[in-house]
Structures are given as C-alpha cells and as structure tokens.
Amino acid sequence: MTVVKKKYFYLLLCSCALAVSSCSDFLNEVSKSSLTPENSFSSSDDWNKALSGAYGMLQFVFVGKQSITLNAFGTDEVEPFDLGWAAYNELKIYTFSASHGFLREHYIWCYDGIKRANTIINMPADAPVPAGERESMIAQAKFLRAIYYFDLVAMYGGVPMWLETSVDPDALHKPRESADAVYTQIVKDMSEAAAVLPVKWDEPGDKGRATRYAAYSLLGRFYLQWGKSDEALGALNQVIGKYSLYDNYADIFDPSHKNEEIENIFEVQFRHSGNWGLEGSLQSSYWGPRNVGGPTAGGGWGGFGPTQYLYDRYEQQDKRKQAFFATEYNGVPQTPPCIMKYRDPEYGTVIEDDQLNYIMMRYPDVLLMKAEALNNIDDKTDAKYECLNQVRKRAGISLITKEDGLTKEEFASVVLEERLRELCCEHHRRFDLLRFGKLAEQVRAAFPEIEVKPYHVLYPIPQDAIDGNDMMTEADQNPGY
C-alpha cells in the first residue's frame, strides 16, 4: 500500500476530531488554517461544543444503517428485505470479507468518536474551564470512549488503542492490542466516569448526557461480555431499584416520553430537523412497514426487520407480541411481521428525519443481565428468579421459580430467550449470542441453510485499517479472513 493511501486512511480516522497538539513557538504565531486549542478553545462553551461532537458520533455508531446491520444481520432476530444490495446479503449469509464497506465505516466512526473523546480527556491544564465542570466533562468523555472501544472489541477482538489526542508523527501508528487489554481500558474508563457523573441532570438542555446509573449499567454489560460475572454484579447492583417498568410498552419508545428516566437509562439523542441528514433519525424509515408507499426499500419503508423465527418465539398471551409487531399495516400484510418499536407518530413518514431517540440501555436489560450474572456464579438464592420475573410479569407470561427445577444451563437458555423477546431489534442480539456461545446454533434455527463457521465470532479487521497502519500486518487479521 502506498504511503499516500496509508496517510489517507489515518486521516479518515482523525478528520472530524480536534487535535490537541503543540504548535511551534516561532513568532508566537497562531495557526488560522487548523483547529488547535489556541485558536478554537477560548471558553468553556467551546469545550462543551467539542464534547457534544463526541456525543454526536453515537448517532453514527449505533443508528447508522451500516452499524445497525452489523449487530442484527447474521442473527436469528433480523433479516434484510432489500437483498438487491449485496452488502446486506453478505452479512446475512456470512460471505462478507475484510473489504466490506460497512465494516470500514463502523471502524472509522468508532475511532472518530474516540478521537473526539480524547480531545476532552486530554484537556490542557490551562484550559478556560472551571475545575468542577472540567472534571464532569472528562468523566463524560471517558464514558463515551469506553462505549466506542467496547463496540470495537466486541466486534473485532483486540484493536489498536489511541488514548492521547496529540498527533505526534511517532504516534500515528499503533499495534493491535489484546482483547483483554482493551477491556481493561474500557472498564477503567467507565469506572472512573461512574465515580464522577451525577445521578441525573436537572436542566432540560442536559438531558441525554451520561449519568452515574448509565455508567454502572454499561459497566455491567462490559464485564459480562468480558466473562467477569462477579464484577458485573457489583456494577449492576448500583442500578437495581433505581428505575421501574412502564405499564404500557408503547411508552418505552414513544418520542413524547424521551429522557423521562423511568425505564430508559441512556438514550442517544435525535430530533426532527426538517432536513434529511441532519439531526433526525432513520429508525422509522428503515425498520418500518414494507410496501405501503413509503420512501425507501422499493416503495415501502422497511429495509430490514424481524425474522419469522423471532415472531414465533412469543407465546400467544405475551403482551409484547401485540405491542412490538404488526402483521399488517394500513391493510398491507407484513410477512414476516414488521417491528413497531420504531414508529414516530408525528414524523414517521419523513425519510431519515424522525425524532426517535435510540435507547441504548433500559432497565429490563439490567434486570436480565443481573439474572444472567447470578446464574453464571451459580447463586442459590431467589434473586435471579426475581430479576427474570419482573420482566416476565409485565409481559403477562408465567413466572419461573426454583420449584421449576431448572438446571444452570436451562436457566441460562431461559434468560437468553427472554432477552430475545424483550430486547429484540435493539442492537444487542449478536453480542448476546456470542456471550452465550450460541451464534451458530441460533442462526441455524432461523436459517437452516446458512452456515456460521467458528471464526465468524469475530468480524474481520477492515483491510484498509491493516494496510493503513505500519504497526499492523496481515498476521494481525482475525483467523479465517
């Protein structure tokens, strides 16, 4: 690969971040052609705008159609309906390669978010920010950096780690770290963030910022994915009892209930802006009903949606079956049924500009993670049943108790099934299946013709990322690719 191409890929990783690096003291000249602390960060408001940019990358990493598909296609819960797009089909049937464009974009977006967070974390000592505000901003940035690195390590395994913002030429290239090293960093970041962040933000304009309970919830998720159940319990117990469940499932996703912090613990912020590609979300467009005269997917709205297998996993009396799905929409049959979680009643017909927040963490997830962690350590109390049954009781299905005599393995299967029914289509399924060791088995259950090979538990490192990093070689690629 040419030097020019190497530099181009690295610049893509850094292009939207503000580089905090030292300028020459020659004549004390301030650069006017690049963004530096000297010409950009003249007030705490400027630093807050940079922090907002770090938050902003959450929209791409979790609600871009590319990133949605990486954690949903190739599982038992979601399939693409626009199979004319080869990129979709390759993810569904596991024929993708290290050159797949969605992998490349996801990788760049995550590192872009990391660079933006690093700008805040490495705030100069003389930055014009009051001490308390500085501490809060750095904690929020660590919260964000941990999220971006988690999506990378859970998708690809170990990755290079940039923890400084300085673009010293000697630091442009980094070796691939082990997955354990990345997990060590992300739990360090999130633990430090949790110790500083507030329980809640009171000002309306601050809603959507990281909170202590969001940090502990995500820390529990990170520990579970890393295989550390005891540590996960320590984090999750900080959140248990602090939230409740809506009586009405529709209230979870209704934009009129944004940021209420009743059940939803952390939400990625979107708002209808009146212009495609700005602050609106694409969730209603891509998850919506098909063939009903909408703007995408060949005349309908849904470019992807639930599998028939997912719909069939609900008992008939399960309230979620009616709340989460529609078998017809405006008289048009939906086979498989369409998902109704992502419907914006006001702006749902506007292409990629609805006002739906993406709910990254909600309380049922915490309850089910605690049940999973307790089962992993073979806890003998009733606690894991109590957590599981809070979710099942709202759904109107039978409760499970010790008297049912489930083995540890059988209870784990129940938890995994409950996560499917409660959290379907919410960007969790691939990671859940990997954690439970069930990816190949569950894909085969939904799509018997699709073969998932052992190496598919990791996506390939994007080829451009290897070619563009002098500290990586083809030997750093994940096996099988």
Side-chain angles (χ1 to χ4, degrees):
M1 186 179 191
T2 67
V3 173
V4 170
K5 189 174 180 182
K6 286 178 182 287
K7 289 182 177 178
Y8 173 69
F9 184 79
Y10 182 77
L11 287 172
L12 279 174
L13 293 180
C14 304
S15 61
C16 294
L18 297 175
V20 179
S21 57
S22 298
C23 296
S24 171
D25 289 333
F26 181 69
L27 298 180
N28 294 317
E29 183 176 18
V30 176
S31 171
K32 295 180 176 58
S33 60
S34 61
L35 296 175
T36 71
E38 290 77 15
N39 68 10
S40 302
F41 300 108
S42 59
S43 68
S44 61
D45 185 58
D46 290 335
W47 283 98
N48 262 303
K49 289 176 181 176
L51 178 59
S52 294
Y55 274 106
M57 288 310 298
L58 293 173
Q59 295 181 337
F60 291 88
V61 173
F62 292 95
V63 193
K65 55 182 172 287
Q66 295 89 339
S67 48
I68 290 172
T69 59
L70 292 181
N71 214 349
F73 292 3
T75 72
D76 53 355
E77 72 166 8
V78 172
E79 62 177 314
F81 299 115
D82 185 5
L83 292 179
W85 196 356
Y88 276 12
N89 201 39
E90 289 168 5
L91 290 172
K92 174 184 176 179
I93 65 175
Y94 284 85
T95 58
F96 52 81
S97 71
S99 298
H100 196 288
F102 288 10
L103 297 172
R104 179 179 184 274
E105 289 183 46
H106 172 262
Y107 195 87
I108 288 173
W109 288 340
C110 285
Y111 276 112
D112 194 344
I114 288 163
K115 288 294 293 183
R116 294 180 187 211
N118 284 344
T119 298
I120 306 300
I121 294 168
N122 294 290
M123 187 185 297
D126 60 352
V129 181
E133 186 178 357
R134 173 195 181 93
E135 184 181 35
S136 172
M137 291 175 67
I138 290 174
Q140 291 174 70
K142 287 181 177 180
F143 173 94
L144 294 168
R145 184 168 73 179
I147 289 173
Y148 295 129
Y149 269 125
F150 174 71
D151 225 53
L152 286 168
V153 73
M155 291 278 194
Y156 309 104
V159 292
M161 282 198 292
W162 281 272
L163 303 177
E164 302 292 334
T165 309
S166 173
V167 277
D168 182 334
D170 294 333
L172 286 178
H173 304 278
K174 296 279 190 180
R176 185 180 185 187
E177 302 285 353
S178 68
D180 282 342
V182 179
Y183 272 111
T184 298
Q185 183 62 48
I186 64 177
V187 300
K188 178 178 183 292
D189 276 348
M190 195 59 84
S191 298
E192 291 175 357
V196 173
L197 292 170
V199 167
K200 64 183 300 183
W201 296 86
D202 294 322
E203 293 298 321
D206 288 329
K207 296 297 183 181
R209 290 184 184 269
T211 66
R212 183 176 307 166
Y213 294 140
Y216 278 124
S217 300
L218 288 163
L219 186 58
R221 178 180 291 171
F222 300 164
Y223 273 129
L224 265 184
Q225 204 74 28
W226 195 12
K228 296 182 179 294
S229 295
D230 282 313
E231 292 86 345
L233 282 170
L236 296 169
N237 281 334
Q238 300 295 318
V239 188
I240 294 294
K242 303 300 191 298
Y243 294 82
S244 60
L245 305 180
Y246 284 112
D247 292 330
N248 182 5
Y249 283 107
D251 290 341
I252 301 169
F253 307 99
D254 191 320
S256 67
H257 293 279
K258 281 183 177 185
N259 303 315
E260 284 183 336
E261 298 175 273
I262 294 173
E263 174 171 335
N264 300 340
I265 299 172
F266 185 69
E267 305 180 31
V268 177
Q269 304 297 299
F270 287 91
R271 64 178 177 86
H272 173 73
S273 60
N275 290 281
W276 176 83
L278 293 180
E279 290 299 313
S281 167
L282 55 72
Q283 293 176 98
S284 191
S285 295
Y286 280 84
W287 285 109
R290 305 176 296 280
N291 303 315
V292 292
T296 64
W301 282 334
F304 39 75
T307 60
Q308 189 67 43
Y309 174 85
L310 167 61
Y311 183 71
D312 291 343
R313 301 310 295 169
Y314 292 83
E315 301 170 41
Q316 194 58 41
Q317 72 271 25
D318 193 323
K319 296 176 183 177
R320 295 169 296 194
K321 190 169 189 176
Q322 289 73 43
F324 291 171
F325 303 92
T327 56
E328 71 166 24
Y329 189 83
N330 286 351
V332 179
Q334 301 291 308
T335 308
C338 62
I339 193 79
M340 296 300 288
K341 288 183 174 181
Y342 304 113
R343 295 294 303 129
D344 181 347
E346 187 171 1
Y347 299 109
T349 60
V350 182
I351 185 170
E352 297 189 32
D353 193 24
D354 66 61
Q355 61 183 330
L356 298 173
N357 283 354
Y358 164 65
I359 304 166
M360 182 181 291
M361 178 64 69
R362 56 190 181 95
Y363 193 49
D365 195 351
V366 172
L367 292 169
L368 293 172
M369 285 193 290
K370 181 175 179 180
E372 175 186 342
L374 286 167
N375 190 61
N376 288 346
I377 65 172
D378 207 17
D379 180 79
K380 301 301 184 183
T381 72
D382 288 331
K384 66 183 183 182
Y385 298 95
E386 292 167 357
C387 290
L388 173 66
N389 285 331
Q390 285 188 58
V391 179
R392 292 176 68 90
K393 182 178 180 180
R394 179 173 63 169
I397 58 178
S398 62
L399 307 186
I400 293 177
T401 67
K402 277 185 179 179
E403 284 65 39
D404 291 305
L406 299 183
T407 66
K408 182 179 178 181
E409 291 71 24
E410 288 170 338
F411 187 87
S413 294
V414 168
V415 171
L416 181 61
E417 182 86 352
E418 206 58 53
R419 289 186 64 82
L420 174 65
R421 292 184 293 208
E422 179 66 31
L423 303 169
C424 64
C425 307
E426 294 184 35
H427 200 93
H428 305 309
R429 189 58 175 173
R430 178 177 170 85
F431 293 169
D432 285 353
L433 293 176
L434 292 173
R435 194 169 65 252
F436 282 79
K438 299 279 190 178
L439 179 64
E441 176 183 327
Q442 287 304 117
V443 171
R444 189 164 57 249
F447 303 104
E449 72 281 7
I450 296 176
E451 180 185 5
V452 179
K453 298 178 181 177
Y455 65 82
H456 285 140
V457 296
L458 293 176
Y459 281 122
I461 300 287
Q463 190 61 47
D464 280 353
I466 294 176
D467 293 343
N469 186 343
D470 287 342
M471 299 291 285
M472 294 178 71
T473 69
E474 290 303 321
D476 288 299
Q477 182 57 272
N478 288 325
Y481 300 105

